[in-house]
Each structure stands twice: as structure tokens, then as C-alpha cells.
Amino acid sequence: IPSSSASSDTSSAAVSVAAGPAFDDGSPLQQVLPWVPGPRVDAPGRPFARDPERQLVLFDFTANSPDADPGAFAKTWGALNDVVMGGRSEASVSLVRLSEAEGGMCAKLSGVVEGDGGGFVSMRSRNFQLSADLSEYDGVRLDVRGDGRRYKLIARDVEDFFGLAWPASFDTTEGEWLEVDVPFADLKPVLRADVVDENTADFRAFRKDRVKSLQLMLSKFELGMGARNPTFASGPFALEVKRIRAYKD
């Protein structure tokens, strides 16, 4: 389990390029009530140059990518932390430029997470203006470097802030860049922090052709508010992200 005293910086050579706003930035009403519909952004998706038949770039934060433009990044990504439910965690999302040896340009979610009173921090995209159609793909591929904690990807196929969310966990190795696959088949429906049972009226399959937003989260819970995340520890943390892609098996 990562030490709670570990530094939130995975590299001392990081230079901040642009910071995303808090997810609830917007109108005064949206700042108080982040579930009020806010600005929308274009749906992502372009062929991955090294494997155009089997991979689709959703977001690429490396140098010279349009997603690494500071204005585009700030428009699309923001931090969403447990303060929306009375927690005390503090985290931000930003574009950073590492040395080439450390990985170069990437997005970074970092700060301090507090398990008491909430216990989650995240980076979340705005809702997409049009749904991203990933029906031909089998999952989401992440190029990430973490701190040894377990994080989760959350996909949504509705715009409703309180609607169904579809998380799946993935592990990181401290200080190492990893290519992590999150199959769509591993996504589990969660509604208002409760896992949706297969035998209930709210249960349904994830609609891959209607992806509305993506989110990366560190939480003290695995799914919903049931089982605990065994790697969770209050304190500094950091997750760096180079790319988010859809892939075919």
C-alpha cells in the first residue's frame, strides 16, 4: 500500500503548462450545483496513427497533439473532488511537461486525498456535445504512470449527473508508465454510489455507442460505496496520463 507521506510529484522535473478548472466552474449556479448542465465539448475520436484499424484516439496529451493545447485542455477537462459532498480532498488536473526521459508532455491529476468526509479525487471530461460511438471497440486503453494505488475509469452514457455511471478499477505501479486495458465488459453500473443489481429495474448494459463523458478517479471505495479500495491511503497522490484510446481485441 502506498505510503501516505509519499510525494504527489512523480517527477521533480515537471513543468506545469496549463491547469484545468474545477469541474463545477461555470455559472454561479453550476459552481454550487455541478449537476446543472454546463458547457459541452466535441466528441473525441480519431484513428491512432500506429494502429488505425484497431485503435481510436480519444485523448492524447503528448506534445503536438490538439488535446495538449492549453485552451482545448482547459475547456474539456476539470477536477471533480469530494468537496461536492462535504469532503476535504484537494486535487487539480493540469498539463505538465516532463523531461523526455520521464515521459514528456502529459496530463496530471495530483493533490492530497482525505479519506474522512469523502475520500475521492478525479479528473472528468465535460459532457460531449454528440455521443462518442465506440460500438466497434472492446474497451479503453490508458497510458498512465501512477503511485502504486488503484484508480478507476468511469464512463457514462447519459448526461445526467445523478444517472448511471460505469466504473472499472485498474492498478498502477509506482513510477512506471503502463499501458492498461479496461474492457467494456468489466464496467459495472453504479447509481448514486450503489452498485446496481442485475435483477433490478435500473440494471442495463452499457451503451458503447452513446459515450457521453469519461472520468479517472482515486477513491477509497472500489465500486459504489461498498468494498474498500485496498491500496487507498490519505495523503499526497499523483496520476499522469499520456493517452486515452479505444481498442479492438
Side-chain angles (χ1 to χ4, degrees):
I1 297 177
S3 168
S4 61
S5 62
S7 170
S8 63
D9 286 327
T10 55
S11 169
S12 59
V15 176
S16 180
V17 176
F23 182 81
D24 54 358
D25 278 2
S27 71
L29 180 60
Q30 289 160 10
Q31 292 175 27
V32 178
L33 305 175
W35 47 88
V36 173
R40 295 176 176 82
V41 294
D42 294 338
R46 57 189 184 274
F48 184 48
R50 297 202 294 266
D51 187 10
E53 299 299 321
R54 304 182 64 83
Q55 298 188 60
L56 188 73
V57 174
L58 301 177
F59 296 98
D60 182 347
F61 305 116
T62 61
N64 302 318
S65 166
D67 302 315
D69 174 78
F73 182 82
K75 178 182 177 182
T76 304
W77 291 93
L80 180 63
N81 305 319
D82 58 20
V83 293
V84 299
M85 55 181 290
R88 298 183 292 114
S89 299
E90 296 182 3
S92 61
V93 58
S94 59
L95 284 174
V96 297
R97 183 180 292 110
L98 309 176
S99 69
E100 289 304 313
E102 289 290 331
M105 183 84 78
C106 62
K108 184 173 184 177
L109 173 68
S110 61
V112 178
V113 63
E114 294 290 348
D116 293 335
F120 77 86
V121 289
S122 75
M123 55 183 286
R124 180 174 171 175
S125 73
R126 298 285 186 184
N127 286 328
F128 307 140
Q129 186 72 40
L130 299 175
S131 301
D133 184 355
L134 305 182
S135 56
E136 297 183 2
Y137 297 86
D138 297 298
V140 173
R141 179 165 291 159
L142 306 168
D143 296 316
V144 295
R145 181 169 70 168
D147 49 16
R149 288 177 170 88
R150 178 172 294 171
Y151 291 78
K152 53 188 173 184
L153 169 75
I154 304 174
R156 289 177 172 82
D157 61 7
V158 294
E159 292 191 2
D160 183 0
F161 190 90
F162 289 121
L164 283 172
W166 303 81
S169 298
F170 62 92
D171 292 320
T172 65
T173 300
E174 186 173 3
E176 292 187 19
W177 283 103
L178 302 175
E179 185 176 87
V180 178
D181 286 352
V182 181
F184 288 129
D186 288 354
L187 299 178
K188 305 296 183 185
V190 171
L191 184 63
R192 296 184 179 89
D194 291 323
V195 178
V196 178
D197 188 88
E198 189 170 350
N199 299 314
T200 63
D202 288 321
F203 184 87
R204 62 171 173 78
F206 178 66
R207 299 178 295 193
K208 297 191 294 181
D209 62 334
R210 303 185 189 182
V211 180
K212 281 294 185 183
S213 67
L214 295 174
Q215 185 174 8
L216 295 173
M217 177 181 286
L218 171 62
S219 171
K220 67 180 179 182
F221 297 107
E222 287 272 21
L223 296 173
M225 296 182 70
R228 290 295 187 107
N229 177 353
T231 71
F232 181 84
S234 295
F237 77 95
L239 179 71
E240 293 162 338
V241 187
K242 282 186 179 180
R243 296 182 188 89
I244 302 174
R245 292 170 277 165
Y247 70 89
K248 297 179 182 178
D249 289 329

